[in-house]
Amino acid sequence: MSVLRCVDPGPLATVQDRGRIGWQRFGVSVAGAMDPVGLALANLLVGNPPDAAAVEVTLSGGVWEVEADSARLAFAGADIASSIDGRPAASHRAHTLKRGQRLTIGALVGSARGYLSVAGGFRLVPVLGSISTHLRSKIGGADGGPLRSGQELPLVRDTAPSDADLAFDASLLPSPPPRYRAIPGPQDDAFTREGIETLFAAVYTVTTEADRMGMRLAGPKIAHAGGYNIISDGIAPGSIQVPGAGLPIVLFADRQTTGGYPKIATVVSADLGFLARCRPGDQIRFERTDLAGAARLRKDLADRLARLAASLFPARLPAALDSATLLAHNLVDGVTDGLAPP
Amino acid sequence: MSDAGFRLLSAGDTALTVELGEAVDPRINARVLSLDRALAAEAPPGIVETVPTYRSLQIHFDPERLDIEAFAARIGMLVASLDDEPPPGRTWTVPVVYGGEHGIDLEATAGRIDLSTDELIALHLAGDYRVYMIGFQPGFAYLGGLDPRLHLPRRETPRLKTPAGTISIGGIQAAVASIEAPSGWHLLGRTPVRAFDPARADPFLFRVGDRIRFERISADDYTSLARRVADEGWRPACEAA
């Protein structure tokens, strides 16, 4: 059986696709990729559908070994200094690895999370229609848990596609917004006017209590108009809930389906994946928008991703070569072989 | 808010909430379920999924496919003719061990409302509870019917980890938890019953509209029942509607 072996998962690695859609009425969290743009880019590079399952890594990308005749891998969503069998590997492109070769991803730069895709995807059994891992429910992925050292992920393909590895123009990558746009509601009436102004004026710091479920922020307290208990209702992605202590918590992919703290505003869908890139210590601000504003942001992001997809080209050697780059490319099958030094 | 009143609440650019009342009330909950059925029957394009809760229906949608203004108007028409008769439900008897390591907030909670722990347990046991929604975690049952003397604010800061099977109260609600999870509620006890088991043919034990009665068991009973749950897939008794 062809597998991708997890040699070292880094701090947290889970299998994620677009999420488990349609089961929130039974209390089942959606889960799925925290940064759908990163997931889409990693899949784009290996020719998968944009929301196919990939490995989501956190803070550091770990070490992965191919146990197949060959496999095409790509990493996206964060900057990295990766290597293949110890030799530097170029970013923003796919790499075809042979049996026994190891991809070491290293520390992530510019995002807390990144995505490792494999052409053809993983041969895993969906739970309630998705192979996304939901850690708290212990469902999805290979066994419902985070990936562990030595664990094997079965692959659909035994060999990499025969065409060239693809790369994209990194200058086209969308950049995070200066402020995260949010629409007031559904319980903005549970806060004072000053409380809402605080949310949109203050600088908040991402705390260490930030995971796939929620991100606790530190900063100015937000005043409730009355109590801080509501009758539990549904929670949308990007909901900013404010418990009694007055500090906001942004809710992400692994969020509970319902909850009883008032939700002052909701981060718009186009910005939520960028917010998920933040790590403890990062400072963030929110900005008020509305449905029309959110639609413009969605369109801008979709246009950028379309341009990136259109920029895909067969990976070639950069104009200026150092020996390490040459060696890295030399390990890769296909188009670059002919350029290897004698 | 009048009986037929409703509010459309924004929940970002991919969800909205139709709020049909502000109380834990079987008739409001019945109207939520009625709206949910009406939408399922119409299946408007762009609706991704719906989540019925105590007094509101959350609607997740694809903003590129749903005409939000036309949809809001349609909601207004549907709300005018909802059924407020609660659906018949099954009745479950759920065993609970109270206090100690299984219910770490029992004593403090009793102290806050000047009751002995036995008095608090008696009030909790006396309730005739109804499952108003399944949410928060797979199979987690939110219950209405908590004695008003046990209505307490939630903890200011939620606990990051509470065990599977936790029996808790928060605000005017009571609950049977299914899996380990964070919680801001007061933990009174624990049941060995598994409300969610993905390996079971029917992964979710309780349904909205079911009734639940609690039955006090000892810590030893808890241990032996938990073993039967693990070994034989034991489930509690259930009477049809």
Side-chain angles (χ1 to χ4, degrees):
Chain A
M1 185 175 63
S2 297
V3 302
L4 181 68
R5 181 190 297 277
C6 173
V7 178
D8 171 6
L12 174 67
T14 58
V15 178
Q16 301 294 342
D17 55 22
R18 68 192 290 243
R20 199 162 275 109
I21 312 292
W23 299 91
Q24 290 189 78
R25 60 172 45 245
F26 297 106
V28 180
S29 296
V30 174
M34 290 285 280
D35 176 9
V37 170
L39 177 69
L41 293 177
N43 278 320
L44 196 62
L45 284 172
V46 297
N48 290 348
D51 49 14
V55 175
E56 181 182 277
V57 297
T58 314
L59 299 176
S60 180
V63 182
W64 309 86
E65 184 173 307
V66 168
E67 297 200 0
D69 288 343
S70 62
R72 177 168 292 162
L73 309 184
F75 182 86
D79 285 329
I80 48 169
S82 63
S83 59
I84 296 170
D85 286 353
R87 297 176 179 84
S91 293
H92 312 302
R93 55 160 292 179
H95 292 279
T96 295
L97 278 70
K98 290 179 177 165
R99 185 181 298 277
Q101 285 198 301
R102 284 187 177 189
L103 172 67
T104 300
I105 295 175
L108 309 190
V109 176
S111 174
R113 296 180 171 83
Y115 296 86
L116 175 64
S117 63
V118 183
F122 301 109
R123 193 186 295 280
L124 294 170
V125 181
V127 177
L128 302 175
S130 165
I131 50 182
S132 282
T133 311
H134 187 245
L135 295 171
R136 283 177 174 81
S137 312
K138 299 181 174 66
I139 57 175
D143 60 4
L147 297 175
R148 303 177 309 274
S149 294
Q151 200 165 1
E152 295 176 340
L153 290 173
L155 300 177
V156 170
R157 294 183 65 107
D158 296 317
T159 58
S162 57
D163 54 352
D165 289 326
L166 293 177
F168 60 70
D169 177 354
S171 72
L172 297 176
L173 279 172
S175 47
R179 295 181 181 215
Y180 297 93
R181 274 64 60 105
I183 301 175
Q187 280 94 32
D188 45 325
D189 60 356
F191 299 88
T192 63
R193 191 188 173 89
E194 293 74 26
I196 295 169
E197 282 169 9
T198 300
L199 175 74
F200 290 116
V203 175
Y204 284 99
T205 305
V206 178
T207 70
T208 53
E209 287 183 48
D211 62 13
R212 288 183 38 83
M213 182 176 186
M215 177 187 278
R216 268 184 209 245
L217 303 176
K221 291 189 176 182
I222 294 170
H224 295 84
Y228 51 84
N229 294 284
I230 61 163
I231 301 168
S232 291
D233 69 350
I235 299 180
S239 265
I240 305 173
Q241 72 173 19
V242 185
L247 290 176
I249 302 174
V250 186
L251 294 164
F252 286 93
D254 280 6
R255 72 190 179 278
Q256 62 275 37
T257 56
T258 57
Y261 290 114
K263 297 166 283 289
I264 188 170
T266 315
V267 178
V268 301
S269 58
D271 284 359
L272 190 60
F274 291 108
L275 184 54
R277 296 181 178 190
C278 294
R279 56 178 80 201
D282 285 354
Q283 297 201 317
I284 64 167
R285 303 183 78 162
F286 295 105
E287 180 179 300
R288 184 197 296 251
T289 190
D290 56 15
L291 283 178
R296 283 192 299 275
L297 294 169
R298 284 198 313 274
K299 182 170 188 314
D300 287 350
L301 184 58
D303 288 349
R304 273 196 164 270
L305 289 177
R307 281 203 295 281
L308 252 169
S311 84
L312 284 172
F313 57 92
R316 284 185 297 269
L317 288 176
L321 292 177
D322 57 34
S323 59
T325 311
L326 264 180
L327 283 167
H329 282 278
N330 191 25
L331 287 163
V332 175
D333 280 344
V335 292
T336 58
D337 277 1
L339 295 171
Chain B
M1 187 177 293
S2 76
D3 209 34
F6 75 103
R7 294 201 298 163
L8 275 184
L9 307 176
S10 162
D13 61 330
T14 64
L16 60 84
T17 300
V18 186
E19 193 179 273
L20 294 169
E22 290 176 353
V24 174
D25 178 303
R27 294 200 175 274
I28 293 172
N29 189 238
R31 288 164 53 76
V32 171
L33 299 178
S34 176
L35 176 61
D36 188 45
R37 287 192 301 271
L39 273 181
E42 294 197 353
I47 301 301
V48 177
E49 59 181 306
T50 57
V51 184
T53 67
Y54 280 102
R55 44 68 184 257
S56 66
L57 185 69
Q58 183 154 63
I59 300 168
H60 295 267
F61 58 85
D62 175 350
E64 313 301 345
R65 292 180 59 213
L66 184 74
D67 177 345
I68 194 90
E69 284 185 16
F71 182 67
R74 183 66 193 144
I75 291 287
M77 294 172 71
L78 289 174
V79 163
S81 55
L82 294 178
D83 182 0
D84 63 1
E85 203 53 47
R90 306 165 294 173
T91 300
W92 298 88
T93 302
V94 173
V96 179
V97 53
Y98 287 93
E101 60 171 317
H102 297 296
I104 57 176
D105 293 331
L106 178 68
E107 285 193 25
T109 308
R112 282 180 65 169
I113 48 179
D114 291 325
L115 292 178
S116 70
T117 54
D118 276 340
E119 287 168 335
L120 187 158
I121 291 168
L123 286 180
H124 188 259
L125 282 170
D128 176 16
Y129 300 96
R130 183 169 177 279
V131 179
Y132 277 82
M133 66 176 191
I134 305 293
F136 174 61
Q137 55 180 223
F140 180 106
Y142 284 88
L143 310 178
L146 183 66
D147 189 294
R149 282 167 284 183
L150 300 183
H151 293 180
L152 280 170
R154 292 175 178 76
R155 295 166 54 80
E156 274 211 349
T157 304
R159 285 198 178 89
L160 293 178
K161 204 178 258 193
T162 64
T166 288
I167 302 296
S168 60
I169 58 174
I172 61 173
Q173 307 167 79
V176 182
S178 50
I179 58 173
E180 184 183 275
S183 170
W185 291 21
H186 308 282
L187 318 182
L188 304 184
R190 202 171 170 198
T191 180
V193 169
R194 279 188 193 163
F196 171 62
D197 180 354
R200 216 161 42 202
D202 180 0
F204 310 102
L205 197 61
F206 306 123
R207 290 198 294 257
V208 174
D210 285 355
R211 287 176 182 279
I212 286 182
R213 287 176 177 283
F214 294 117
E215 174 185 52
R216 187 175 187 178
I217 59 170
S218 67
D220 286 347
D221 293 340
Y222 175 89
T223 305
S224 61
L225 274 180
R227 194 173 304 125
R228 289 182 63 195
V229 170
D231 295 348
E232 317 156 18
W234 179 86
R235 298 161 61 146
C238 161
E239 297 162 31

